[in-house]
Amino acid sequence: MLFITNRFPTQSIRTRKGRRFTFDLDNNAPSNSVFYCEKGEDEHHTEITSKELLRRVRDSDCRQILLYLHGFNNLPDDVFQTTAELQRLCDQAKPGEVMVLPLIWPSDAKQGIVQKYWDDQKSADQSGFSFARVLERFLEWRNSEDNEPEIAPCLKRINLLAHSMGNRVLRQTLMEWDRYDLASGVPLLFRNTFMVAADVVNETVHEHEPGVLVSHASRNVVVYFASDDLALRASKAANLKNKVASRRLGHTGPENIDRTPHNIFQVDCDDINTAYDTPTGHKYFGPVSPGGEAGLVFRHIFQCVQSGRVFPDDPHQRSVILR
């Protein structure tokens, strides 16, 4: 499994191809450096550099990439476990179609530097600078001699699944990329962007709001939400304490769908989320049960990945209800 991270290693932050890379779980601050790695056994991973990782992705047999941005309270092993589960479900749905590639940012650790939810939001925001560098590096590589664009160009379609506070990382990444590296807005990079149980305010994808860049960078944006998501209720309470009163996108979907770009769709998961993730109803995009068959949310995600299109039940509201 390949992965990209801005978590600090226990080793030096100096990049060196082939060196051992071990996560420093006691350091929960985001690094300005980004590390391109291959997963190993017993938490001993290998740094392979961006050039090698991008070459392996290009040369793989898969037709599409699914970037996975995890949420709050996830250690690297948690992310690897979810990534492996997503890869299993993708392979079951259509072998060789999708490679899942996790982006690991520094969230919760039992005794880390950053321990509280509000500080984790700051970590998510600061990670935007790091992952903006990843997107800029990809554009640079895509047009470079390393990619051999005239001989063996990378033609894989890129999709992105952001869960919970990972959507905050996504939003901030696009904001920083647009602010510091791009002259005329973000390019159309993602075929589909799936915003699952998004822990951001529900106006964020409206026109003229910061999250509208997600729609600019994507052919389709699909927002999955559930009003009885207990983890987001705790998030709302934490934000109220810090004088942020708006509802969460993962609870209600967009505040007003008519104020969003026309490539944004909303999927109501209220009838199935707690059945797939008991009792919180927050992480409902995987299998029906651990190691089991794909749930309705994953099936909807994979249908969008394969077709490149979203088929709403209500075209005016651009909405689907999963039952």
Side-chain angles (χ1 to χ4, degrees):
M1 181 190 300
L2 304 176
F3 67 91
I4 302 172
T5 186
N6 70 327
R7 285 198 76 130
F8 279 100
T10 57
Q11 298 83 6
S12 164
I13 64 170
R14 182 181 178 182
T15 290
R16 190 171 70 253
K17 185 176 181 179
R19 68 158 179 161
R20 175 175 288 184
F21 183 97
T22 308
F23 287 104
D24 184 354
L25 299 182
D26 289 331
N27 188 343
N28 223 27
S31 168
N32 288 326
S33 300
V34 183
F35 307 98
Y36 299 78
C37 303
E38 182 177 25
K39 182 182 181 300
E41 299 298 325
D42 300 324
E43 301 181 359
H44 293 149
H45 314 298
T46 303
E47 185 174 11
I48 62 174
T49 73
S50 62
K51 180 179 177 180
E52 175 67 12
L53 183 143
L54 290 168
R55 183 193 65 78
R56 290 197 198 181
V57 170
R58 183 198 67 185
D59 294 346
S60 69
D61 293 333
C62 69
R63 295 178 60 248
Q64 304 198 53
I65 308 300
L66 179 62
L67 301 175
Y68 170 52
L69 258 175
H70 63 89
F72 173 69
N73 197 28
N74 276 249
L75 293 174
D77 281 350
D78 302 319
V79 182
F80 290 140
Q81 182 179 352
T82 301
T83 301
E85 190 80 313
L86 285 170
Q87 187 67 67
R88 179 183 70 83
L89 294 175
C90 288
D91 292 343
Q92 283 185 351
K94 188 175 181 181
E97 177 71 11
V98 174
M99 173 192 287
V100 185
L101 178 63
L103 307 177
I104 302 176
W105 58 281
S107 58
D108 180 71
K110 291 181 179 179
Q111 295 180 342
I113 295 171
V114 178
Q115 298 184 49
K116 296 181 180 179
Y117 174 90
W118 194 250
D119 288 331
D120 225 35
Q121 285 194 339
K122 297 174 185 175
S123 178
D125 286 346
Q126 292 165 15
S127 293
F129 291 92
S130 305
F131 290 121
R133 293 176 59 195
V134 173
L135 298 181
E136 186 64 16
R137 172 67 180 115
F138 170 72
L139 288 191
E140 176 188 280
W141 170 84
R142 187 177 63 176
N143 298 316
S144 72
E145 293 182 1
D146 291 335
N147 182 36
E148 302 175 300
E150 297 181 0
I151 301 173
C154 184
L155 301 177
K156 300 189 189 303
R157 290 165 169 157
I158 304 173
N159 305 275
L160 188 145
L161 191 163
H163 177 241
S164 189
M165 202 179 287
N167 288 276
R168 191 179 182 104
V169 178
L170 170 62
R171 180 183 66 186
Q172 200 67 25
T173 295
L174 294 176
M175 288 171 59
E176 304 307 342
W177 192 30
D178 183 49
R179 180 182 303 168
Y180 292 108
D181 298 303
L182 303 172
S184 56
V186 298
L188 181 59
L189 185 60
F190 306 119
R191 193 183 200 201
N192 299 285
T193 296
F194 305 106
M195 305 179 73
V196 184
D199 193 1
V200 290
V201 296
N202 66 355
E203 305 98 341
T204 198
V205 290
H206 287 182
E207 294 280 10
H208 311 300
E209 294 291 336
V212 75
L213 291 176
V214 178
S215 72
H216 295 175
S218 313
R219 178 178 180 178
N220 305 304
V221 179
V222 190
V223 176
Y224 297 87
F225 66 96
S227 63
D228 56 350
D229 184 329
L230 295 182
L232 287 183
R233 289 185 186 178
S235 160
K236 184 177 179 181
N239 280 280
L240 283 172
K241 181 180 177 182
N242 289 279
K243 301 179 182 179
V244 179
S246 182
R247 295 181 292 179
R248 315 314 286 168
L249 183 64
H251 257 162
T252 67
E255 175 70 19
N256 185 341
I257 195 67
D258 292 330
R259 294 180 56 192
T260 67
H262 290 295
N263 64 337
I264 292 182
F265 302 85
Q266 52 184 344
V267 179
D268 186 341
C269 304
D270 209 49
D271 291 344
I272 50 101
N273 65 306
T274 52
Y276 293 172
D277 180 33
T278 306
T280 61
H282 185 56
K283 193 175 181 181
Y284 49 83
F285 57 86
V288 175
S289 58
E293 64 180 13
L296 288 175
V297 176
F298 177 85
R299 291 184 210 171
H300 188 270
I301 287 172
F302 199 82
Q303 179 189 47
C304 297
V305 168
Q306 282 196 287
S307 67
R309 295 172 177 84
V310 185
F311 302 100
D313 298 331
D314 182 343
H316 175 68
Q317 290 296 309
R318 288 173 265 147
S319 65
V320 175
I321 300 176
L322 295 182
R323 295 185 175 92

